[in-house]
Amino acid sequence: MFICLSLFALKAQQKCDIRDYYDDFIEVKRMKSQNHYFLISNIIPIQQNNCVSEFINNNQKFLSYLLTNFSSTVNRKDFLSISDSVQLKRSFIEHLKKDSIFNPLMQELNDKSILKIKKKDTVTMNEILSIAVKFFSIQNINEEGYYLGKICIDPRFLINTEPIRKPFIEAFCFSTVFKYLDDENIKLYDEFIKAIKEIYTINLGNNNSEKLLRAQGALYILMKQNEKLKKSVKKEYELQKDYLPFILVSK
C-alpha cells in the first residue's frame, strides 16, 4: 500500500514541468514612451499552490534575468503591433514555448532544481566571482577626468569577457548583487565606490580609451578580492542552494 502510494507520488512529481506554467508566472505588457512602443516582460508570483509555485516565488529575479537575457522571444518586434493585452500574452507565451534558447534552460532547471532527477553542476567561488564582478562597470570618463561607474546589466561585459556564457551563474550573480547593494551589513554599493576611489590612486595613462580599459580591469580585480562580495555570494548561496541547479564547491 505504502509502496504503491510512493510510486504514484513519484510519477505525479515527474510530470511536473515548469514550461506548462508560463502563463501563470510570466507577464508581458506593451508600453508606450512618446511615440515609441516597447515590451516589458516580467516574472510575477504564482498565486495558486502547485508543483512549481514555491520555486517560482522564491526565484523571481533569477528567472527574470534568464527571461530577459536568454530568450529570443522577448526581442520579437512583431508583438508591438498587438494592442489587445490578452492576445499579446497568448501570442507571447506561444512563441516562448517554442523558444530554442529559453526552453532548454527551463527544462534543465526543471530537472535539476524542481524534480531533482538530474545531477547538479559543480561550480567554484572563483567561477562565480569572475562573473559577479562583471555587473560592476566603469562606463566612461567625463570631461573632468572622473570615472562614470555603474552597477548594471550590460551583456557586453559578459559577451566580451566570457568565452562560454553560464546562464544560471549569471542569474544567481545578478540576483545576489542587486539584493545586497544596500544590505545593512554588506552594502555592496559602498564597496563599489571604495574600489573606484582606489583606482584613482593609480595613474593608468594619458589616453582615455586605454585608461578606461585599464580602469575596468582594475575594478574587476578589486571587486573579485572584495570580502563583502564574497560574503554576499556565500550568504545567498546558503539561502537558495535548494533551488539552484549547481553546487558550490571549495577548491
Side-chain angles (χ1 to χ4, degrees):
M1 178 96 176
F2 289 106
I3 294 175
C4 292
L5 287 173
S6 298
L7 289 173
F8 178 79
L10 180 60
K11 287 182 179 179
Q13 182 191 37
Q14 288 181 338
K15 289 181 180 179
C16 183
D17 191 332
I18 193 172
R19 295 170 299 178
D20 294 333
Y21 296 90
Y22 285 170
D23 194 62
D24 294 330
F25 68 86
I26 294 176
E27 177 183 66
V28 59
K29 293 181 180 180
R30 189 179 79 145
M31 309 294 288
K32 185 177 182 180
S33 176
Q34 297 179 348
N35 295 320
H36 174 68
Y37 284 100
F38 60 96
L39 287 183
I40 291 180
S41 57
N42 198 21
I43 303 297
I44 58 175
I46 290 185
Q47 302 302 321
Q48 68 273 24
N49 185 27
N50 57 41
C51 64
V52 301
S53 55
E54 180 184 344
F55 179 83
I56 300 299
N57 295 344
N58 281 281
N59 294 277
Q60 287 178 244
K61 286 185 179 179
F62 183 97
L63 291 166
S64 180
Y65 183 89
L66 295 176
L67 177 62
T68 302
N69 295 279
F70 292 94
S71 166
S72 59
T73 300
V74 297
N75 297 317
R76 289 179 63 98
K77 293 183 178 180
D78 50 333
F79 291 127
L80 297 176
S81 62
I82 305 175
S83 58
D84 181 79
S85 59
V86 175
Q87 184 183 348
L88 172 62
K89 182 167 183 177
R90 184 185 301 115
S91 180
F92 184 86
I93 296 298
E94 284 176 0
H95 282 86
L96 196 61
K97 287 181 177 180
K98 302 172 185 175
D99 195 304
S100 61
I101 303 173
F102 188 69
N103 269 300
L105 287 177
M106 292 300 101
Q107 175 69 63
E108 185 178 355
L109 199 59
N110 196 75
D111 292 346
K112 292 178 178 178
S113 298
I114 297 176
L115 294 180
K116 302 186 186 334
I117 58 175
K118 284 190 178 180
K119 185 179 179 180
K120 295 186 176 186
D121 301 324
T122 57
V123 301
T124 64
M125 177 62 75
N126 186 63
E127 287 179 271
I128 292 178
L129 290 175
S130 180
I131 290 176
V133 300
K134 307 297 167 58
F135 291 96
F136 300 90
S137 65
I138 297 176
Q139 301 272 324
N140 213 335
I141 301 173
N142 67 15
E143 293 180 358
E144 289 75 33
Y146 291 109
Y147 297 122
L148 302 179
K150 194 174 184 181
I151 302 174
C152 63
I153 309 167
D154 191 333
R156 292 177 304 166
F157 292 105
L158 289 158
I159 292 170
N160 295 333
T161 59
E162 294 293 329
I164 300 175
R165 296 291 295 275
K166 299 174 181 177
F168 298 138
I169 300 180
E170 286 184 29
F172 170 73
C173 290
F174 162 74
S175 57
T176 299
V177 167
F178 285 89
K179 178 177 178 178
Y180 292 96
L181 279 182
D182 298 314
D183 179 82
E184 185 177 347
N185 298 314
I186 295 179
K187 295 185 178 178
L188 286 181
Y189 181 80
D190 291 350
E191 298 303 304
F192 171 58
I193 298 301
K194 287 178 187 177
I196 291 181
K197 288 181 178 179
E198 182 64 23
I199 294 172
Y200 278 124
T201 65
I202 307 172
N203 187 354
L204 295 176
N206 300 316
N207 180 289
N208 271 3
S209 61
E210 293 181 2
K211 186 177 179 179
L212 181 63
L213 190 61
R214 291 169 187 154
Q216 184 63 65
L219 178 64
Y220 287 160
I221 293 171
L222 289 173
M223 291 307 300
K224 188 172 184 290
Q225 296 171 342
N226 188 279
E227 290 301 322
K228 289 193 175 180
L229 180 56
K230 292 178 185 177
K231 181 180 178 180
S232 69
V233 168
K234 290 177 182 177
K235 185 176 180 180
E236 191 63 11
Y237 174 76
E238 287 301 318
L239 289 172
Q240 297 294 105
K241 63 183 179 182
D242 288 342
Y243 303 118
L244 293 171
F246 57 80
I247 298 170
L248 178 61
V249 296
S250 57
K251 279 190 178 180

